[in-house]
Amino acid sequence: MNELHLETSPYLLQHANNPVYWKAWNATALALAQKESKLIIVSIGYSACHWCHVMEHESFEDSEVAATMNAHFISIKIDREERPDIDAVYMKAVQIMTGQGGWPMNVVTLPDGRPIWGGTYFRKDDWINSLERLQEIYTKNPETIRDYAEKLDEGLQSLSVISKNDSESDFNFEILEKLVEKWERSFDWDYGGMARAPKFMMPVNYEFLLRYGYQTKNQKVLDFVNLTLTKMAYGGLFDTIDGGFSRYSVDMKWHVPHFEKMLYDNGQLVSLYANAYKLTGNKLYKEVIEKTLNFVEKEWLTKQGSFYSALDADSLNVENHLEEGAFYVWTKDELTSFLQEDFDLFSTIFNVNEFGFWEHQNYVLIQNQSLDEIAKQQNFSLETLEQKKKKWEQILYREREKRSKPRLDDKCLTSWNAIMLKGFVEAYKTIGNKNYLKIALQNADFIIKNIWSPEGNLKHSYKDGKATVNGFLEDYAHVIQAFISLYEVTFDENWLHNAKQLMDYTFDNFYDEKAQFFSFTSIQDEALITNHFEVEDNVIPASNSIIADALFRLSIYFENSYYEKICQQMVQNIVPTVDYPSAFSNWLNVLLHFSEQNKELAICGSGALDYLEIVNQNYQPNIIIAGHSSVSTIPFLRNRFSENETLFYLCQNKRCQKPKDDFEEIRQEILI
């Protein structure tokens, strides 16, 4: 029978009433496949995935499909967000077999879990025919399938091997210039982002390009980043009415999104826009930050201080059927009715015309001009137009709240929570809103009390008062990074000690000395069919690149040469192999830590926090900051406290200048 009603994952519970005899991934289900010598169907998706819902409706709710699956297979449903380890392994297999990947992802394996066939979305008849054919071959000619499984397994094992570079590296930074020049050939100079569709936001790419442009004074790169961030904020991808970004745009101009909203996207984008706002002072970026965090606080922040995971792409339309984007789109008649005499001006700003038209009489709001440009054209003051825009958004927000909302994925994932925590911290640095810091501290407290076990390990998922699934490398990486970011705004050294404690646990349970990288899964967990080392940056940076960044920072705070050595080794192994910089941009960001422009600033004395607030308002990604307003336990700050004055220590390459008491002099020295 279907066993998914025993699970807590919203995605698995969505399938709990299917006629398919679904099981969750566990030792019992896997042992049953071995005992009965049955092929396994591994079907992977997530709650906000539109095409996952389509395949469920067309196939998994169908009795004919269920009869085929139940007769011959052990069918296992997996929430990819709850088990990213399983997803990563079988995604590699699907990419080897088909040349592409995505969700829903469906794989058929031997009873021992080795894959033999797979793909993404299948129509009902194709799905049934494929399963029946596989079962026929498995029954009549099993050796054929086993031979293929063996060859595919060899391919999977080879992918888990990362080449090593044992030569000493002086980190020649000319490689960055060449990689960026190659990257520029893919830039879309009309709408920003890469010149292809669909368009993913990839915030880690623009964090690197922003820093690279700043440190090399490359105005062309900076202009491109600003073009991209502006066009993303103008597009339907950004919900101008209530804040928050959807997952990606299906077109070149950031117009029509795939409408689900994910916590990890919004956490990273807040950090990115905060850094860009520091550098540019662009008011649009501040609006994006404030609207997005207001949305997150209202829709995803729990009473315990944790964050929910996502809002679905689908919601009920006026006919009471689930439809992608139904909550977000508008007809011209609706807009005319709600905005009345202001409709013409509104339609000029938000393109209720051919440029903003989507389908089925629906419009997705998109700007293609700044308010300043439109104000001049329409003979309005900019202030008047800004006030009108704010009023229109309030009207549409009230009307939209009357609609059926998208479904909520109410599990709390540790890594995603830490990403959002960091977003709140970066926004606090930039804007100074103390509520942002309060929420970040609440979330950190939630992680410590509910996610971090007395045995020292993190859990991955939390729902209904229960933490489940042993943590993956991504959980440790992002929590460590989030704790370091809290130190950067509070100078509370407990956050650094917590980060170091988690890092040491990570070495004990994830580091593979032979591979010279950290495995995605802990040695405490049951091994999958192949080991997985996450090294390529994607919509979320690779957990190994986040760990490398944290190792560099902690090596300075704790004067830990081993941390620095491992970080350097990881970067040396990766950077020479980089061909597509967009897939390794966070590694390139870590490489910049080793440049001559990287410095450390210690602020020591009773006024440390006041000066810290000023420093944090500036964009200086090449500065690692430390400080205290009392005696410190951090090695980097040893013997630097002065009761009677606030002193500034500027350091580089383990050498520090004599302390200074003139803050303005220090500010000039850390400028690029």
Side-chain angles (χ1 to χ4, degrees):
M1 305 302 290
N2 190 324
E3 299 176 359
L4 297 186
H5 65 281
L6 302 172
E7 301 300 310
T8 59
S9 157
Y11 176 66
L12 298 186
L13 291 172
Q14 285 172 6
H15 291 77
N17 294 318
N18 294 168
V20 176
Y21 294 165
W22 290 118
K23 299 180 183 302
W25 181 279
N26 53 48
T28 304
L30 298 173
L32 183 64
Q34 294 266 33
K35 178 183 176 184
E36 298 186 357
S37 193
K38 284 186 175 180
L39 295 175
I40 301 172
I41 295 172
V42 179
S43 182
I44 304 176
Y46 58 100
S47 71
C49 167
H50 171 70
W51 287 103
C52 299
H53 302 326
V54 173
M55 188 166 178
E56 178 191 14
H57 178 65
E58 290 179 349
S59 295
F60 302 142
E61 292 177 354
D62 185 88
S63 57
E64 186 183 358
V65 171
T68 300
M69 294 174 68
N70 296 339
H72 305 296
F73 300 87
I74 299 296
S75 298
I76 296 178
K77 239 320 164 187
I78 293 172
D79 180 342
R80 69 167 295 264
E81 296 165 354
E82 194 173 67
R83 293 302 304 264
D85 56 332
I86 301 169
D87 176 67
V89 168
Y90 286 114
M91 181 63 76
K92 285 180 187 176
V94 168
Q95 288 171 334
I96 289 173
M97 289 185 281
T98 70
Q100 58 187 11
W103 300 275
M105 179 169 62
N106 295 282
V107 179
V108 175
T109 81
L110 291 175
D112 62 9
R114 288 181 296 164
I116 58 170
W117 177 85
T120 53
Y121 165 77
F122 294 92
R123 297 187 182 278
K124 173 186 168 180
D125 290 344
D126 294 337
W127 179 243
I128 290 175
N129 292 338
S130 298
L131 294 182
E132 289 178 344
R133 178 64 179 146
L134 284 166
Q135 178 60 24
E136 182 183 0
I137 297 172
Y138 181 60
T139 303
K140 295 180 178 178
N141 196 7
E143 286 309 311
T144 303
I145 280 183
R146 290 196 178 96
D147 287 347
Y148 179 74
E150 206 162 300
K151 289 183 174 64
L152 182 57
D153 187 57
E154 288 172 4
L156 285 171
Q157 302 304 331
S158 69
L159 285 178
S160 69
V161 177
I162 305 166
S163 58
K164 289 191 277 291
N165 178 9
D166 295 324
S167 62
E168 288 293 321
S169 172
D170 61 356
F171 291 125
N172 182 348
F173 293 93
E174 289 178 10
I175 190 172
L176 287 177
E177 186 176 352
K178 292 175 183 175
L179 287 171
V180 172
E181 284 177 1
K182 178 180 180 180
W183 200 351
E184 285 176 354
R185 295 198 285 271
S186 300
F187 288 1
D188 180 346
W189 282 100
D190 292 319
Y191 293 103
M194 299 302 108
R196 57 177 175 265
K199 273 188 172 176
F200 286 83
M201 296 165 289
M202 304 296 288
V204 65
N205 285 349
Y206 302 105
E207 285 283 13
F208 164 71
L209 289 172
L210 190 71
R211 179 177 179 181
Y212 176 82
Y214 169 75
Q215 288 191 208
T216 61
K217 300 189 186 317
N218 187 322
Q219 193 59 45
K220 182 181 179 184
V221 168
L222 290 176
D223 288 345
F224 175 70
V225 174
N226 284 311
L227 170 71
T228 300
L229 298 192
T230 298
K231 293 296 186 180
M232 287 198 309
Y234 281 174
L237 185 82
F238 177 66
D239 183 1
T240 188
I241 291 171
D242 192 30
F245 287 84
S246 294
R247 187 162 168 256
Y248 63 87
S249 164
V250 301
D251 57 84
M252 293 280 284
K253 60 186 184 182
W254 306 108
H255 180 208
V256 179
H258 198 27
F259 286 92
E260 71 261 43
K261 290 180 179 178
M262 314 300 293
L263 183 67
Y264 62 80
D265 283 325
N266 285 282
Q268 292 178 90
L269 286 163
V270 166
S271 295
L272 172 60
Y273 275 90
N275 283 326
Y277 180 63
K278 286 180 184 179
L279 190 58
T280 66
N282 187 332
K283 288 196 302 182
L284 174 65
Y285 298 169
K286 185 181 180 185
E287 178 186 341
V288 166
I289 295 164
E290 291 176 334
K291 281 183 173 179
T292 299
L293 292 184
N294 181 64
F295 162 78
V296 171
E297 182 178 359
K298 180 166 57 72
E299 300 292 342
W300 285 338
L301 180 64
T302 74
K303 291 179 181 177
Q304 290 179 286
S306 61
F307 301 109
Y308 293 138
S309 293
L311 283 181
D312 205 327
D314 298 356
S315 55
L316 294 173
N317 60 20
V318 290
E319 284 86 27
N320 215 34
H321 298 305
L322 282 174
E323 179 184 340
E324 185 182 7
F327 182 72
Y328 298 100
V329 299
W330 305 93
T331 66
K332 191 171 184 178
D333 288 344
E334 285 176 320
L335 294 171
T336 304
S337 171
F338 300 146
L339 302 170
Q340 299 180 5
E341 70 274 4
D342 277 348
F343 171 75
D344 288 342
L345 182 58
F346 177 92
S347 65
T348 299
I349 294 174
F350 288 112
N351 287 284
V352 186
N353 51 34
E354 188 177 336
F355 187 79
F357 181 74
W358 178 30
E359 63 180 14
H360 308 312
Q361 307 306 311
N362 290 318
Y363 290 84
V364 179
L365 305 183
I366 179 173
Q367 281 184 246
N368 58 358
Q369 298 180 83
S370 70
L371 287 186
D372 192 41
E373 291 171 312
I374 294 171
K376 290 172 184 173
Q377 293 167 12
Q378 300 289 328
N379 232 0
F380 280 100
S381 71
L382 178 59
E383 184 182 3
T384 298
L385 202 56
E386 288 173 340
Q387 289 171 349
K388 279 184 172 291
K389 179 174 177 279
K390 191 173 183 179
K391 175 188 166 188
W392 297 334
E393 289 170 348
Q394 290 169 347
I395 290 170
L396 294 182
Y397 173 77
R398 287 194 297 270
E399 293 297 331
R400 204 173 73 176
E401 285 294 291
K402 298 173 185 176
R403 300 174 176 177
S404 294
K405 285 196 170 187
R407 293 178 293 186
L408 172 70
D409 186 325
D410 62 349
K411 67 178 180 294
C412 302
L413 296 174
T414 302
S415 53
W416 296 9
N417 269 249
I419 289 170
M420 193 72 249
L421 188 166
K422 188 172 186 293
F424 273 95
V425 170
E426 296 302 328
Y428 170 70
K429 286 181 184 177
T430 304
I431 297 173
N433 184 329
K434 287 186 166 48
N435 186 50
Y436 296 162
L437 179 58
K438 176 186 171 186
I439 290 172
L441 289 167
Q442 285 175 343
N443 186 245
D445 187 57
F446 167 83
I447 290 171
I448 289 171
K449 289 179 177 175
N450 298 280
I451 301 298
W452 195 356
S453 79
E455 292 73 35
N457 65 303
L458 297 172
K459 293 291 188 180
H460 176 65
S461 183
Y462 182 90
K463 189 173 183 292
D464 298 336
K466 186 179 179 183
T468 58
V469 185
N470 193 27
F472 303 106
L473 183 65
E474 66 175 36
D475 299 305
Y476 292 86
H478 289 290
V479 170
I480 290 167
Q481 189 178 59
F483 284 175
I484 293 172
S485 75
L486 278 171
Y487 171 75
E488 292 171 345
V489 292
T490 64
F491 282 163
D492 180 346
E493 295 175 3
N494 288 320
W495 297 118
L496 285 186
H497 289 298
N498 286 339
K500 185 178 186 300
Q501 186 176 339
L502 286 170
M503 183 64 81
D504 290 340
Y505 182 92
T506 305
F507 267 105
D508 290 341
N509 291 275
F510 292 86
Y511 188 62
D512 186 317
E513 289 190 15
K514 184 178 178 183
Q516 296 181 346
F517 285 93
F518 294 80
S519 172
F520 191 74
T521 51
S522 165
I523 60 173
Q524 307 299 328
D525 293 320
E526 287 290 325
L528 299 176
I529 57 171
T530 186
N531 207 351
H532 174 48
F533 297 94
E534 187 180 63
V535 295
E536 287 194 24
D537 299 319
N538 206 302
V539 291
I540 299 176
S543 47
N544 268 287
S545 72
I546 295 289
I547 285 285
D549 177 81
L551 281 170
F552 183 87
R553 296 174 189 278
L554 292 175
S555 75
I556 290 169
Y557 291 131
F558 290 98
E559 296 181 348
N560 189 315
S561 59
Y562 181 67
Y563 284 0
E564 182 183 15
K565 173 192 167 190
I566 298 301
C567 170
Q568 187 165 339
Q569 193 174 68
M570 293 166 77
V571 175
Q572 281 180 199
N573 286 340
I574 288 291
V575 170
T577 70
V578 173
D579 188 27
Y580 297 98
S582 60
F584 298 93
S585 53
N586 200 48
W587 288 106
L588 302 181
N589 193 54
V590 179
L591 176 61
L592 280 173
H593 291 340
F594 292 93
S595 77
E596 286 299 314
Q597 292 171 319
N598 231 69
K599 299 176 182 177
E600 301 88 47
L601 174 63
I603 309 174
C604 306
S606 58
L609 287 173
D610 294 328
Y611 288 111
L612 173 66
E613 196 171 310
I614 298 170
V615 171
N616 277 336
Q617 290 171 356
N618 299 313
Y619 181 66
Q620 289 163 333
N622 57 310
I623 305 296
I624 291 178
I625 193 161
H628 54 168
S629 50
S630 60
V631 177
S632 174
T633 61
I634 300 299
F636 178 68
L637 298 173
R638 192 181 293 120
N639 300 323
R640 287 185 173 168
F641 178 68
S642 173
E643 253 184 75
N644 303 318
E645 58 185 340
T646 299
L647 297 174
F648 305 93
Y649 296 79
L650 190 60
C651 311
Q652 186 177 27
N653 289 334
K654 300 181 178 63
R655 294 188 303 274
C656 295
Q657 300 175 5
K658 288 182 179 179
K660 296 179 180 178
D661 59 7
D662 187 334
F663 180 60
E664 287 306 316
E665 188 178 342
I666 287 290
R667 285 181 78 170
Q668 292 305 311
E669 287 190 45
I670 61 178
L671 289 174
I672 287 182

